[in-house]
Amino acid sequence: MKVSLYGALLSAVLLLSGCNSSGSSEQTDAFAPIKPWQSWAESLGTRDYNVTQGSLYMVDNAECVKLIEVFGTCFANNPAAPYLIPQLPVEQTYLDPYYAYEFNATGPNGDNTNMFFRLGKNDALMTIVNLPPKAAYMGYQTYMFSRDTSHYNTYMKATPNPERAEVFGSLGNDINNVVIEEGANIEWSGNAVVYITTANESLADALVADATSAGLQSQVIFTEPVGDNTILGKGSTADDFMTLIRYAMPEDDEAADRWKASRDDNILVYRVSKNTLPFTAFPTPEYTEKITVDESDYNTSLVELTTLLETHLKTTTGLPVESKKMLTSETDMETGELAGLVGQECIEEGSICLADNQDTDAYRFGFVGLLRNDRPVIVTGVNHTLNNAATYISLGIYSMIGFYGIDSISQSNVNVTGFDKGNLTGSAEAVLRAYGLYEKASQRLKDQLSMFYTAVVSRTCETSLGNYCVEVNTTELPLLHPLGITQRAYVKPGSTSGANPNALLSPYVIKVNE
């Protein structure tokens, strides 16, 4: 590959900068992969690009308080993983006074930044990431957060601004770790990747070409198209956007925590524009068709498992008990098209998508109601990691006042991730034995029992249940806050998205019926 004089000089400077004695060798090595990209990004201004650095915001369960104060909800955040949110410089763009001002932050160069941002036709959000320690999942996705209500005949809900409809719908496929591993042929930590989110194909191509001329590897640059179903501009009538980085279930929690603690060095955010380029629009992206995994053979046993636990809960509490199948947020039509909480559908109709993510089969949801003492809630389902329907699954526990995450139970697919982590595998048999129900199971259920999970949520967990029970205190979930539970099944192995939601069996929620 031919490298320009500029590229050769830049490479030499970067090589020397790696020997900077101002920091420890351990720290220098840790951040080494991102340094060439940082220097390249900051050099773009010498070639007629306008480059301004942004900042980063991390939203975990505790940070939901701030979102709830503004929106009344935390948008069903995944309690299994915090969100890392790029904040673009917004000095020259409109900020909604009803909700965006609350999230103003100061960037590293003193510029005003915000997680709600608008994009002009010649703008890009460019995010450079020092890849974290290995985990079950990492994804990067931009959403259309809100739109002027004048574009809809009807819409589901307004933001705090009565003239803006809340959508929070995905623009297309998530750029997840599988896409990165296959596209760039790289592993996790020790490498850096670049995401370019723009509506202008000419700008994306120009940035890739510029990086290539600097001797950098273009295969680690991933373009996220902002399709022609969006309204561009920096004024009040344009769509505003938000980007989420999800990082879930790391193999080494301590290493992951160190990476997150240094997130401002590991994730660099820039607004990049070049007004001399022509505008070439991207079409509306198409979602990846979801692969079917047939779980129908487990249905009879799942119903039996659920019935056994329902009867046990009824006997021990002396109260009426019911089992309800979780609702699914999405369906896969016979045509292969997706319907329900799907970004493009929400954007078109003005409905709420709750930051949909096509890397899951769907969001499965069960409403519980109030969680009272001595009235545990039991969830039964198929452990999708064991039949290769998911790379990892998580159960999320929520307060339905504010829709914020409290806790979670997860499980990795050891055959895909290389590590066996979580407390769902083996849980169905363990819970049956703890309750003295194992011998009541049919031979068919015993033969298939390893394919199921059982999780208990309670104010006070029985010691015999061990790690298969989540104890929820009144600080996390006040007595008068209703409880909700979700299941997410992430990334069908052999695919870059979740499995077909029609084919996976939904879990059951077993609870006292009041």
Side-chain angles (χ1 to χ4, degrees):
M1 178 177 63
K2 186 177 180 181
V3 179
S4 67
L5 176 61
Y6 157 72
L9 289 173
L10 177 61
S11 298
V13 170
L14 296 173
L15 181 62
L16 292 172
S17 68
C19 300
N20 192 332
S21 61
S22 61
S24 69
S25 59
E26 180 181 354
Q27 186 181 43
T28 302
D29 290 341
F31 299 121
I34 204 171
K35 291 300 182 182
W37 292 100
Q38 181 179 11
S39 297
W40 167 72
E42 293 172 357
S43 75
L44 288 169
T46 65
R47 295 183 300 287
D48 297 326
Y49 288 91
N50 184 19
V51 182
T52 313
Q53 189 170 359
S55 59
L56 194 73
Y57 179 37
M58 188 170 83
V59 174
D60 55 14
N61 297 344
E63 193 66 20
C64 275
V65 172
K66 188 173 180 180
L67 287 165
I68 292 169
E69 287 175 352
V70 178
F71 296 100
T73 177
C74 202
F75 306 102
N77 66 302
N78 186 351
Y83 297 142
L84 299 162
I85 305 180
Q87 298 179 119
L88 266 189
V90 290
E91 296 287 0
Q92 305 302 318
T93 66
Y94 177 81
L95 275 181
D96 195 288
Y98 286 83
Y99 58 82
Y101 281 4
E102 299 289 336
F103 298 95
N104 276 341
T106 302
N109 300 314
D111 297 294
N112 199 28
T113 68
N114 203 289
M115 67 177 179
F116 299 104
F117 63 91
R118 286 166 163 78
L119 288 176
K121 289 185 175 181
N122 287 311
D123 285 341
L125 159 63
M126 186 165 74
T127 307
I128 305 173
V129 178
N130 222 24
L131 287 176
K134 186 177 183 179
Y137 176 78
M138 179 177 174
Y140 183 96
Q141 181 137 52
T142 297
Y143 296 86
M144 190 273 268
F145 181 75
S146 78
R147 174 170 288 178
D148 194 297
T149 57
S150 63
H151 293 280
Y152 296 117
N153 294 324
T154 60
Y155 54 91
M156 188 174 290
K157 178 187 175 186
T159 67
N161 181 347
E163 296 182 356
R164 301 285 300 184
E166 179 187 314
V167 176
F168 216 160
S170 64
L171 301 184
N173 287 326
D174 198 303
I175 304 174
N176 58 43
N177 57 286
V178 180
V179 174
I180 291 171
E181 289 164 3
E182 292 180 353
N185 192 28
I186 58 175
E187 297 291 335
W188 288 81
S189 55
N191 294 287
V193 295
V194 181
Y195 305 93
I196 298 173
T197 301
T198 182
N200 191 344
E201 190 171 4
S202 298
L203 176 58
D205 290 345
L207 286 169
V208 172
D210 195 284
T212 302
S213 72
L216 298 172
Q217 296 179 319
S218 61
Q219 67 265 31
V220 302
I221 303 176
F222 295 87
T223 297
E224 181 186 40
V226 178
D228 56 10
N229 61 337
T230 60
I231 300 169
L232 303 174
K234 298 181 182 180
S236 61
T237 59
D239 292 345
D240 59 4
F241 302 98
M242 181 192 293
T243 300
L244 302 181
I245 301 174
R246 296 174 169 95
Y247 175 53
M249 209 171 191
E251 180 179 18
D252 184 336
D253 288 326
E254 291 184 2
D257 287 344
R258 289 194 296 271
W259 181 84
K260 286 182 284 189
S262 300
R263 57 188 175 272
D264 290 334
D265 294 312
N266 282 314
I267 301 177
L268 304 176
V269 179
Y270 300 91
R271 183 188 288 271
V272 181
S273 59
K274 190 168 187 176
N275 294 329
T276 57
L277 288 172
F279 177 68
T280 308
F282 283 106
T284 299
E286 296 183 1
Y287 292 108
T288 300
E289 187 171 344
K290 295 189 171 183
I291 297 173
T292 295
V293 178
D294 185 4
E295 293 185 340
S296 59
D297 187 53
Y298 301 124
N299 187 60
T300 299
S301 292
L302 178 58
V303 170
E304 181 186 348
L305 172 65
T306 303
T307 302
L308 281 172
L309 292 164
E310 178 184 343
T311 302
H312 172 77
L313 188 57
K314 189 180 303 182
T315 301
T316 55
T317 63
L319 297 168
V321 173
E322 66 176 352
S323 302
K324 283 194 173 181
K325 188 181 292 187
M326 283 191 184
L327 302 174
T328 182
S329 67
E330 183 182 300
T331 57
D332 191 335
M333 312 300 284
E334 291 183 2
T335 60
E337 296 179 358
L338 302 171
L341 290 190
V342 181
Q344 290 172 16
E345 186 173 308
C346 293
I347 291 170
E348 181 180 351
E349 297 178 357
S351 54
I352 300 171
C353 252
L354 292 172
D356 64 295
N357 187 342
Q358 301 311 315
D359 286 351
T360 68
D361 73 305
Y363 299 159
R364 312 275 174 163
F365 174 74
F367 180 78
V368 175
L370 300 182
L371 182 63
R372 302 189 187 278
N373 292 329
D374 303 319
R375 299 184 187 180
V377 175
I378 305 173
V379 183
T380 59
V382 176
N383 185 346
H384 305 297
T385 66
L386 295 179
N387 63 337
N388 226 32
T391 298
Y392 97 96
I393 59 174
S394 69
L395 295 178
I397 301 165
Y398 292 87
S399 166
M400 296 311 297
I401 295 181
F403 216 162
Y404 63 87
I406 296 169
D407 208 334
S408 65
I409 313 172
S410 301
Q411 181 64 53
S412 68
N413 182 334
V414 64
N415 293 324
V416 178
T417 64
F419 59 91
D420 187 8
K421 185 177 181 180
N423 47 358
L424 291 178
T425 298
S427 59
E429 180 173 341
V431 172
L432 283 187
R433 289 189 181 280
Y435 285 153
L437 301 174
Y438 180 78
E439 295 306 327
K440 295 182 179 181
S442 69
Q443 190 58 49
R444 178 189 176 95
L445 175 55
K446 289 178 180 177
D447 291 343
Q448 295 185 331
L449 195 54
S450 62
M451 294 302 302
F452 302 115
Y453 69 77
T454 299
V456 181
V457 181
S458 180
R459 292 289 186 189
T460 305
C461 285
E462 298 177 36
T463 305
S464 62
L465 293 173
N467 293 329
Y468 306 121
C469 180
V470 176
E471 193 164 285
V472 180
N473 62 44
T474 54
T475 300
E476 297 168 320
L477 183 75
L479 290 173
L480 297 181
H481 281 211
L483 176 74
I485 300 176
T486 66
Q487 179 196 273
R488 294 168 166 91
Y490 273 86
V491 187
K492 163 72 177 76
S495 172
T496 56
S497 65
N500 182 339
N502 296 356
L504 299 193
L505 295 179
S506 282
Y508 286 88
V509 174
I510 309 164
K511 65 186 184 74
V512 172
N513 187 15
E514 297 185 273

